[in-house]
């Protein structure tokens, strides 16, 4: 796959649950190595969009591709090249950090040696070394979050989906987390992240603002601020939401 | 394949990490086995029986004696309360009351037919019927013995009817110990609880905590996830079965006349069916509580229609047809055959076939419902 | 009473219950289905028991016996064979349940000595049915006078077995046994089971559900949320259990109603009294549920523990199906400390016998005692656990 091409393409993606339209014809494209944000209030449709891209939900209409694989017909193939971190940090609470990592590594097809090597790398990068043998349930929230990220990138996916990865985490931990994200992106990993923290939007290369199932604006933080004559993304957001 | 291995290892780790759960999986069923082994019986013993003697002759005392020496009854002689006998039954002081009428002895002497009244508390229809049967036999035996002894003076009696004495031999379980039959059945029930309930619960729990979603995002295929969840419980189930069977043989002295390896094999096919059901139920339940209820619902029906407590032949055709899809029914029959009668594959082939069919169908259906991609 | 904090808790719990239609549906259907099964499908009286007959005598007398057996609704002669040695084979192939072997000298013995032996071989592998088969067969044969005019009717009232003693005919027995059945005239098994179902249902809803619900809150951490508020332990308990009390009671009443009006289970005693007894029993069941919830940390364990400790014993040891008098002493003792055992006597007593408090007071007292004991233990442990958690994390 050409590094300059788009690694994620979304075209008129839509999803309704019965009468409720959760995602309304959303379209965007993400380049390899980009950090792309979906910004919006709770219920705007961000998580639903991500889940369709990760192959967890079938789109009602529209389509796209992730890593070159078609969302509608090749969703199983997508799974091999992506990492996913859910809002709930879905980890096994009764397993230790090391066991969680070993498990997910194994599930993604990494051999013992590979898992060990990757775990060592991640421990360094994520600062999990001292927590390795602790039960996940006893981890402070910030470390749980890092463990969840670690589990998601163990197999070195080229695209990573992060769904509200910093919910409930203190500002220092949040900042540190974004440092990790940036490091990943610098390595060429495409990152698609959803958030409702306005300040985090600034860290994205580009972002789209979602409101009531639609994308109401799309561009880099600078572009958005210029377009809407605002000083902060928060102002952009308020304008868009009020105006809509 | 490696994916399944990882899943199994993780599951086992989780199970063994919870000491209470372990205790429940291994200790409690054993306890249940001991308790139920002795409690579960349709034998009728120690039935409280009142004898009311309105005659007070040697004849009536003779009859009372017969009852008193019978192992099924605990006899209490009381003074004649007249109409108040029913009160004893109502207050639960006795289940039966036998009333020997006045002139009982004289009637026997003169060969005149007489009547003994048996009042019984019919609440427990089963026990009442059996107890009544015993009473009938005792009375009949008494009558025929007296006739044979020729203790009467009247010529009418010598033309006594002729009586047939049944001499009974019982095969495979000479003392008709319920235990021999019940224990294997109870083992089957405990096995079903472990494999059906725990599997379903485990899957639903992952769905509730969100870790199932994390698994769905990986390249793991549905069959791998299902296998990863069921194999650990299959292993536990077999271990449990081995343990319980050992207890049954060593403690309760149940004979195993048949082939143990065959029992293990058939046990495996049974587990296949129950695990499949567990997975199927997990696709129907949104919460662990629902999974519990749905499983319990099926379990109750399975147990009642398994032939363990109530004979299937007696059931209406429609119901009998329903039992055809009850895996417990086949396993109970299998247990009975292998433990007591020593039947081999030749006899048990129909059961094996049915279990395989059920297992494959259920698993297939469950896997179909187990979408990695929702809606 | 400062119960002002209980209503919101109870209301929340109610909403939980109502929003889970699947569970509700099952909780309602299970006893109904069981009633139908016991009412229509399950029958302990044997009918058309498959017999094999090996008549080595081949005389009019032996033939008379065989025909009488075949004519009876209890038995069905499916195979007649010549060689007694074949019986085992028939057992193995599950063709017959028992074999009747009439010896060669049958008729002669009858004439000369007035009594003849007949061999019965019974397949004992299904001990339950085998003993019933044995009972029926032996009674039928032993109480059947042979010869002297047509056979007496095979007789026996419904469910009382094939004793020939009930009806008189030319060969009238010397001593007739006349049964008079009280409280369940037709010896209908439904009448026995339905009251029992009430007990089972309430134990299930009262103990099982309660323990699972509390455990769930522990698991999801919402219990902490409640603990941070100024609520007192007994208020937490009351709020959580009240809805289940209402639910269990309602379903129990439905069971009784359906049982009485559809299945014709008699209801001789006082309805109000029964309701009060139900509440008493529920009290004990709820206490048990709460107690169990203090012993576990996850739902799974709560479920398994409740199943093993409340539901299974209540079904097996309480006299619901299996007679307590036939159990060994130790188990009889255990049975006596189960709330279900006492409640069963009470509910059957009220429905079938028309018992009043005067008849039932020992059991009522036992229920009260057990309930209070359980509740005290439960509240104590619950407060302990709350105290251990509350305040410092």
């Amino acid at each position: 796959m050409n590094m300059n091409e788009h690694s994620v393409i979304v075209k008129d993606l839509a999803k309704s649950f019965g009468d409720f339209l959760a995602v309304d014809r959303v379209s965007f494209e993400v380049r390899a190595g980009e950090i792309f944000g979906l910004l919006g209030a709770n219920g705007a449709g961000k998580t639903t969009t991500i889940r369709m891209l990760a192959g967890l939900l079938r789109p009602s209409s529209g389509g796209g591709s992730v890593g070159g694989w078609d969302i509608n017909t090749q969703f199983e193939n997508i799974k091999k090249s992506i990492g996913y971190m859910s809002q709930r940090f879905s980890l096994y609470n009764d397993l230790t950090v090391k066991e969680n990592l070993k498990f997910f590594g194994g599930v993604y097809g990494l051999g013992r040696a590979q898992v060990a090597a990757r775990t060592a790398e991640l421990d360094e990068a994520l600062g999990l070394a001292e927590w390795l043998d602790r039960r996940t349930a006893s981890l402070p929230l910030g470390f749980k979050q890092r463990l969840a990220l670690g589990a998601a990138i163990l197999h070195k996916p080229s695209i990573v989906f992060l769904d509200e990865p910093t919910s409930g985490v203190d500002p220092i931990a949040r900042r540190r987390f974004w440092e990790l994200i940036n490091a990943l992106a610098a390595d060429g990993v495409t990152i698609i992240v959803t958030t409702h923290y306005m300040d985090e939007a600034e860290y994205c290369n580009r972002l789209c603002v979602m409101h009531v199932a639609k994308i109401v604006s799309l561009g880099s933080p600078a572009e958005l601020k210029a377009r809407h004559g605002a000083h902060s993304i928060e102002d952009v957001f308020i304008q868009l939401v009020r105006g809509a | 394949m490696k994916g399944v291995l990882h899943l199994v290892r993780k599951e086992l780790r989780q199970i063994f990490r919870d000491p209470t759960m372990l205790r429940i999986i291994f200790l409690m069923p054993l306890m249940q086995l001991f308790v139920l082994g002795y409690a579960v019986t349709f034998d009728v013993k120690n039935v409280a029986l009142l004898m009311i003697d309105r005659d007070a002759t040697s004849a009536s005392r003779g009859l009372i004696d017969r009852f008193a020496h019978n192992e099924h009854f605990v006899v209490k002689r009381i003074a004649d309360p007249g109409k108040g006998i029913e009160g004893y039954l109502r207050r639960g002081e006795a289940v039966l009351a036998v009333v020997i009428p006045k002139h009982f002895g004289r009637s026997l002497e003169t060969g005149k037919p007489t009547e003994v009244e048996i009042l019984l508390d019919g609440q427990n229809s089963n026990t009442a019927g059996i107890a009544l049967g015993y009473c009938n036999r005792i009375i009949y035996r008494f009558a025929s013995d007296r006739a044979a002894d020729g203790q009467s003076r009247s010529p009418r009696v010598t033309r006594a009817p002729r009586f047939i004495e049944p001499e009974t031999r019982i095969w495979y379980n000479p003392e008709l110990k319920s235990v021999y039959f019940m224990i294997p059945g109870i083992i089957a029930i405990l096995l079903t609880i472990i494999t059906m309930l725990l599997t379903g619960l485990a899957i639903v729990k992952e769905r509730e905590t969100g870790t199932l979603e994390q698994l769905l995002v990986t390249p793991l295929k549905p069959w791998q996830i299902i296998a990863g969840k069921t194999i650990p419980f299959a292993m536990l189930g077999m271990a449990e079965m081995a343990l319980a069977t050992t207890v049954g043989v060593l403690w309760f002295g149940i004979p195993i006349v048949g082939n143990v390896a065959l029992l293990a094999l058939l046990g495996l096919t049974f587990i296949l069916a129950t695990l499949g059901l567990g997975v199927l139920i997990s696709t129907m339940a949104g919460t662990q509580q629902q999974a519990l209820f749905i499983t319990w619902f099926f379990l109750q029906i399975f147990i009642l229609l398994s032939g363990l407590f109530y004979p299937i032949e007696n059931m209406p055709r429609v119901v009998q047809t329903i039992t055809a899809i009850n895996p417990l029914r086949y396993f109970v029959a299998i247990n009975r055959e292998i433990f007591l009668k020593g039947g081999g594959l030749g006899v048990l082939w129909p059961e094996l076939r049915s279990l395989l069919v059920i297992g494959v169908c259920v698993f297939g259906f469950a896997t179909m419902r187990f979408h990695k991609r929702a809606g | 009473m400062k119960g002002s904090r209980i209503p919101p808790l109870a209301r929340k719990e109610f909403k939980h219950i109502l929003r889970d239609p699947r569970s509700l549906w099952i909780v309602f259907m299970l006893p109904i289905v069981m009633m139908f099964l016991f009412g229509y499908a399950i029958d302990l009286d044997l009918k058309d028991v498959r017999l094999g007959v090996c008549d080595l005598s081949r005389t009019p007398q032996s033939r008379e016996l065989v025909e009488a057996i075949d004519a009876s609704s209890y038995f069905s002669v499916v195979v007649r064979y010549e060689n007694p040695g074949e019986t085992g084979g028939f057992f193995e192939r599950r063709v017959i349940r028992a074999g009747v072997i009439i010896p060669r000298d049958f008729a002669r013995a009858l004439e000369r000595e007035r009594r003849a032996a007949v061999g019965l071989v019974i397949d004992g592998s299904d001990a339950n049915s085998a003993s019933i088969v044995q009972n029926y067969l032996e009674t039928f044969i032993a109480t059947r006078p042979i010869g002297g005019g047509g056979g007496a009717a095979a007789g026996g009232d419904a469910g009382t077995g094939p004793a020939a003693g009930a009806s008189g005919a030319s060969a009238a027995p010397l001593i007739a046994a006349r049964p008079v059945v009280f409280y369940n005239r037709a010896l209908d098994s439904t009448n026995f089971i339905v009251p029992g179902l009430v007990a089972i249902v309430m134990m299930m809803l009262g103990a099982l559900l309660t323990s699972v619900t509390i455990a769930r809150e522990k698991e999801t951490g919402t219990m902490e949320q409640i603990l941070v508020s100024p609520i007192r332990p007994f208020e937490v308990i009351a709020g959580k259990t009240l809805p289940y009390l209402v639910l269990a009671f309602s379903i129990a009443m439905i069971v009784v109603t359906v049982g009485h009006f559809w299945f014709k289970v008699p209801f001789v005693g006082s309805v109000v009294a029964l309701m009060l007894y139900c509440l008493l029993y529920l009290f004990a069941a709820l206490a048990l549920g709460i107690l169990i919830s203090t012993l576990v940390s996850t739902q799974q364990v709560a479920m398994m523990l409740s199943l093993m400790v409340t539901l299974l014993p209540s079904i097996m040891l309480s006299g619901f199906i299996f007679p307590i008098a036939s159990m060994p002493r130790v188990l009889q003792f255990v049975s006596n400390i189960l709330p279900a055992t006492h409640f069963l006597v009470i509910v059957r007593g009220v429905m079938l016998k028309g018992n009043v408090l005067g008849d039932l007071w020992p059991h009522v007292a036992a229920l009260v005692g057990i309930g209070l004991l359980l509740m005290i233990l439960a509240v104590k442990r619950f407060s302990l656990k709350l105290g251990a958690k509350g305040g410092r994390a």
Side-chain angles (χ1 to χ4, degrees):
Chain A
M1 187 185 60
N2 194 332
M3 269 319 220
N4 284 325
E5 289 193 351
H6 292 112
S7 65
V8 174
I9 302 175
V10 175
K11 207 151 167 24
D12 292 331
L13 201 61
K15 179 67 185 170
S16 18
F17 296 105
D19 288 337
F20 173 60
L21 187 60
V23 175
D24 187 4
R25 277 163 304 147
V26 153
S27 304
F28 57 84
E29 285 156 8
V30 183
R31 264 189 296 265
E34 246 194 320
I35 302 178
F36 187 83
L38 280 83
L39 183 71
N42 292 322
K46 317 187 294 290
T47 302
T48 312
T49 306
I50 292 253
R51 297 183 79 218
M52 282 192 277
L53 294 178
L56 287 171
L57 211 59
R58 177 159 20 125
S60 302
S61 66
S65 70
V66 174
W69 305 106
D70 185 287
I71 297 178
N72 279 305
T73 57
Q74 299 171 311
F75 53 92
E76 276 304 316
N77 299 78
I78 293 181
K79 308 252 166 101
K80 298 192 197 108
S81 13
I82 64 165
Y84 176 80
M85 185 178 147
S86 90
Q87 238 174 348
R88 289 196 278 180
F89 307 155
S90 307
L91 301 164
Y92 290 104
N93 275 320
D94 43 356
L95 295 185
T96 66
V97 170
K98 191 194 275 181
E99 286 164 349
N100 261 300
L101 289 174
K102 267 186 20 202
F103 171 68
F104 281 108
V107 158
Y108 275 101
L110 301 185
R112 274 242 182 109
Q114 282 175 296
V115 173
R118 274 300 277 162
T119 310
E121 279 178 46
L122 286 171
D123 293 340
E124 276 289 328
L126 300 172
L128 289 169
E130 43 184 300
W131 301 94
L132 274 182
D133 290 310
R134 295 278 220 102
R135 298 259 178 108
T136 307
S138 64
L139 254 54
L141 200 57
F143 286 96
K144 258 197 212 161
Q145 169 212 45
R146 293 192 220 170
L147 174 60
L149 180 65
I153 61 176
L154 213 68
H155 56 295
K156 299 212 186 163
S158 49
I159 303 167
V160 175
F161 294 100
L162 306 170
D163 192 9
E164 310 253 358
T166 53
S167 319
V169 171
D170 71 76
I172 299 181
R174 275 204 283 141
R175 172 73 71 84
R176 202 168 292 167
F177 189 78
W178 276 94
E179 287 169 11
L180 295 169
I181 306 276
N182 280 315
L184 271 182
D187 276 340
V189 178
T190 310
I191 308 207
I192 298 185
V193 56
T194 72
T195 181
H196 59 257
Y197 287 115
M198 302 298 151
D199 54 327
E200 290 186 346
E202 303 271 2
Y203 302 145
C204 301
N205 294 127
R206 285 193 308 137
L207 61 125
C208 68
V209 180
M210 286 190 74
H211 181 63
V212 189
K214 290 204 196 24
I215 292 185
V216 289
S217 198
L218 191 153
S220 73
E223 283 170 7
L224 287 177
K225 281 188 272 194
R227 195 181 302 160
H228 299 279
H231 290 290
S232 69
I233 296 294
E234 182 165 353
D235 290 336
V236 173
F237 183 76
I238 293 177
Q239 266 201 42
L240 286 169
V241 165
R242 287 251 182 86
Chain B
M1 217 48 213
K2 302 256 317 270
V4 176
L5 215 65
H6 283 282
L7 280 167
V8 171
R9 208 180 312 159
K10 161 194 82 78
E11 196 70 37
L12 284 174
R13 206 171 261 158
Q14 284 182 296
I15 294 173
F16 281 94
R17 202 155 277 182
D18 187 346
T20 329
M21 185 53 103
L22 273 182
R23 239 172 274 154
I24 290 195
I25 293 181
F26 286 109
L27 285 188
M28 296 233 97
L30 283 185
M31 261 176 58
Q32 299 290 318
L33 207 60
F34 281 111
V35 166
L36 300 182
Y38 289 115
V40 168
T41 170
F42 283 119
D43 293 344
V44 165
K45 284 200 282 270
N46 304 322
V47 178
L49 186 149
L50 294 178
M51 294 233 53
I52 295 148
D53 188 353
R54 291 193 178 143
D55 190 47
T57 57
S58 65
S60 64
R61 280 192 289 275
L63 184 58
I64 294 178
D65 216 44
R66 290 288 179 97
F67 276 97
H69 281 107
N70 189 292
E71 51 152 4
H72 297 286
F73 299 114
V74 171
V75 172
K76 198 159 72 151
R77 276 193 71 175
I78 58 167
D80 186 359
K83 292 267 157 77
I85 303 179
E86 191 258 332
Y88 283 88
L89 297 183
R90 189 161 21 87
R91 286 189 300 277
E93 293 181 35
V95 177
L96 293 145
V98 175
V99 183
I100 303 178
K102 239 169 141 62
H103 308 309
F104 177 70
R106 186 129 43 90
S107 306
L108 282 184
E109 304 257 310
T110 58
K112 197 158 69 111
T114 178
E115 192 180 77
V116 167
E117 209 180 35
I118 305 177
L119 290 82
L120 56 124
D121 179 341
Q123 274 188 91
N124 186 338
S125 36
N126 185 38
T127 316
I130 295 178
L132 188 61
Y134 289 138
C135 284
N136 280 325
R137 305 261 306 272
I138 293 174
I139 293 175
Y140 206 81
R141 202 43 193 288
F142 182 73
S144 68
D145 282 351
R146 292 206 62 119
D149 286 346
Q151 273 181 345
S152 69
R153 288 168 269 136
S154 159
R156 286 183 68 199
V157 183
T158 52
R159 271 198 292 110
R162 292 153 283 185
F163 303 114
I164 313 173
E165 300 242 334
E167 283 172 7
T168 315
R169 270 169 14 245
I170 303 184
W171 282 35
Y172 310 124
N173 186 357
E175 288 157 69
L176 274 188
K177 287 204 187 172
S178 295
V179 158
Y180 286 6
F181 176 57
M182 282 299 173
I183 295 283
I186 292 171
I187 294 180
I189 294 177
L190 292 174
L191 197 60
T192 312
I193 293 182
I194 298 273
T195 51
M196 201 159 122
L197 180 63
L198 286 187
T199 310
L201 282 183
I203 298 180
V204 177
K205 183 169 184 176
E206 289 223 22
R207 192 178 302 144
E208 281 182 337
T209 57
T211 52
L212 187 65
E213 185 176 86
Q214 202 61 36
L215 288 180
L216 296 176
V217 170
T218 66
L220 288 173
K221 301 200 190 48
W223 74 263
Q224 287 178 299
I225 299 179
I226 292 180
K229 271 299 209 232
T230 52
I231 290 177
F233 292 105
M235 290 165 65
L236 279 181
M238 290 304 281
E240 167 121 10
M241 186 167 129
L243 187 60
T245 307
T246 312
V247 168
V249 171
L250 290 182
W251 180 271
F252 289 99
I254 302 176
I256 302 190
V257 183
N259 188 338
V260 180
L262 184 61
L263 183 63
L265 173 69
L266 293 171
L268 207 55
T269 46
F270 173 66
I271 291 178
L272 183 78
T274 51
L275 285 173
L277 280 169
V279 178
L280 186 61
I281 290 176
S282 79
T283 64
M284 298 194 282
T287 64
Q288 287 184 65
Q289 188 177 293
Q290 284 179 7
L292 170 70
F293 276 19
I294 300 176
T295 307
W296 188 248
F297 183 73
F298 282 111
L299 200 63
Q300 283 280 83
I301 299 183
F302 280 171
I303 293 177
L304 282 178
L305 296 182
S306 66
L308 184 60
F309 300 125
Y310 305 107
I312 297 184
E313 301 98 69
N314 279 13
M315 302 180 186
R317 283 281 130 183
V318 184
V319 181
Q320 286 195 40
T321 328
I322 297 179
T323 67
I325 56 170
N326 179 359
L328 201 54
R329 168 201 170 158
Y330 301 113
F331 198 54
V332 165
I334 289 171
N335 268 321
R336 215 187 306 146
E337 275 296 325
I338 296 188
F339 275 96
L340 297 173
K341 284 165 99 171
L345 203 49
V347 180
L348 289 172
W349 168 241
E351 272 78 14
L352 174 62
R353 186 182 48 200
S354 300
L355 280 179
L356 281 176
V357 168
I358 295 178
V360 167
C361 286
V362 173
F363 253 110
F365 190 44
T367 313
M368 268 176 14
R369 280 180 65 98
F370 202 91
H371 301 300
K372 279 192 77 180
R373 207 165 64 141
Chain C
M1 180 171 83
K2 217 184 336 156
S4 55
R5 291 189 277 260
I6 299 183
L9 259 185
R11 227 175 295 145
K12 161 187 89 79
E13 209 58 46
F14 256 121
K15 287 213 191 96
H16 275 317
I17 297 177
L18 291 174
R19 285 202 191 134
D20 189 358
R22 235 172 266 169
S23 295
L24 264 186
W25 204 82
I26 290 187
V27 147
F28 172 69
M29 283 311 294
L30 191 53
I32 306 280
V33 167
M34 283 189 70
M35 272 198 272
F36 271 89
L37 280 180
F38 274 103
Y40 297 118
I42 289 173
D43 191 355
L44 269 173
D45 296 332
L46 297 186
K47 282 187 283 286
D48 291 324
V49 177
R50 285 167 289 126
L51 298 182
V53 175
C54 180
D55 186 355
L56 298 172
S57 165
R58 293 201 242 206
T59 53
Q61 288 95 326
S62 67
R63 275 192 276 272
E64 186 190 329
L65 177 62
V66 174
E67 290 321 311
I69 294 177
D70 201 11
S72 155
S73 59
Y74 296 106
F75 311 112
S76 175
V77 178
V78 296
V79 63
R80 297 169 198 242
Y81 54 108
E82 323 272 290
N83 177 5
E86 292 176 45
T87 317
F90 288 126
F91 283 168
E92 270 167 47
R93 292 194 301 283
R94 295 184 256 171
V95 176
I96 57 174
R97 289 300 203 85
V100 179
I101 302 177
I102 308 179
R104 206 151 287 168
D105 63 350
F106 179 69
R108 217 177 320 131
L110 265 188
E111 285 306 315
R112 279 223 213 108
E113 292 130 48
R114 310 244 127 211
R115 41 182 30 171
V118 161
L120 298 182
V121 187
I122 303 182
D123 181 345
S125 54
D126 180 346
N128 289 335
S129 331
S131 71
I132 301 179
V133 171
Q134 177 186 17
N135 211 357
Y136 275 36
L137 209 43
E138 285 181 355
T139 306
F140 186 86
I141 293 179
T143 57
R144 156 148 261 87
I146 290 287
D157 294 315
T160 57
S167 52
S170 56
L174 202 51
I175 308 177
R178 184 165 74 92
V180 180
V181 181
F182 288 90
Y183 317 132
N184 185 2
R185 205 127 299 168
L187 285 184
D188 193 347
S189 57
T190 327
N191 293 351
F192 183 60
I193 291 298
V194 169
L197 283 179
V198 175
I200 301 301
V201 156
M202 286 202 283
M203 183 55 86
M204 188 163 166
L205 292 176
L208 186 60
L209 254 192
T210 307
S211 67
V212 170
T213 311
I214 299 183
R216 179 172 47 237
E217 293 233 10
K218 268 207 247 187
E219 224 179 282
T220 57
T222 51
M223 183 60 91
E224 267 185 353
Q225 206 54 39
I226 300 175
L227 297 186
V228 215
S229 71
I231 205 162
R232 291 205 313 274
F234 116 84
E235 291 179 317
V236 179
I237 293 179
K240 285 212 84 62
T241 55
L242 212 63
Y244 294 108
L245 187 102
V246 173
L247 184 66
F249 187 74
S250 318
I251 302 222
M253 290 303 117
I254 293 178
V255 171
V256 171
T257 311
V258 173
H260 179 60
F261 288 108
W262 181 277
F263 291 96
K264 310 278 179 251
V265 176
F267 200 124
V268 184
S270 151
V271 180
V272 175
L274 184 64
M275 289 188 177
L276 290 174
Y277 295 135
C278 282
L279 287 173
L280 187 56
Y281 175 63
L282 265 178
F283 180 71
L286 288 170
L288 203 45
I290 297 167
L291 188 58
I292 291 179
S293 76
T294 62
L295 298 169
V296 305
S297 50
T298 63
Q299 282 182 75
Q300 278 167 299
V301 179
M303 282 180 203
M304 292 297 281
L305 197 57
S306 298
L307 268 180
M308 298 278 181
V309 165
T310 64
L311 211 45
L312 275 178
S314 295
I315 295 179
M316 302 291 190
L317 291 181
S318 63
F320 174 46
I321 300 183
F322 306 108
I324 302 176
S326 308
M327 299 180 195
R329 281 237 162 241
V330 180
L331 287 182
Q332 287 190 24
F333 174 72
V334 173
S335 169
N336 273 320
I337 57 175
L338 290 176
T341 311
H342 297 283
F343 180 68
L344 262 156
V345 175
I346 293 174
V347 68
R348 282 183 182 140
V350 170
M351 284 185 77
L352 301 176
K353 291 187 186 178
N355 280 148
V356 291
L357 191 54
D359 305 318
L360 297 170
W361 69 264
H363 297 284
V364 177
L367 212 51
V368 171
I370 298 174
L372 277 176
L373 184 63
L374 286 173
M375 194 50 100
I376 294 176
L377 269 173
V379 177
K380 251 218 173 104
R381 270 196 74 94
F382 199 77
S383 322
L384 215 70
K385 292 249 155 181
L386 288 197
K389 271 206 181 169
R392 39 230 94 210

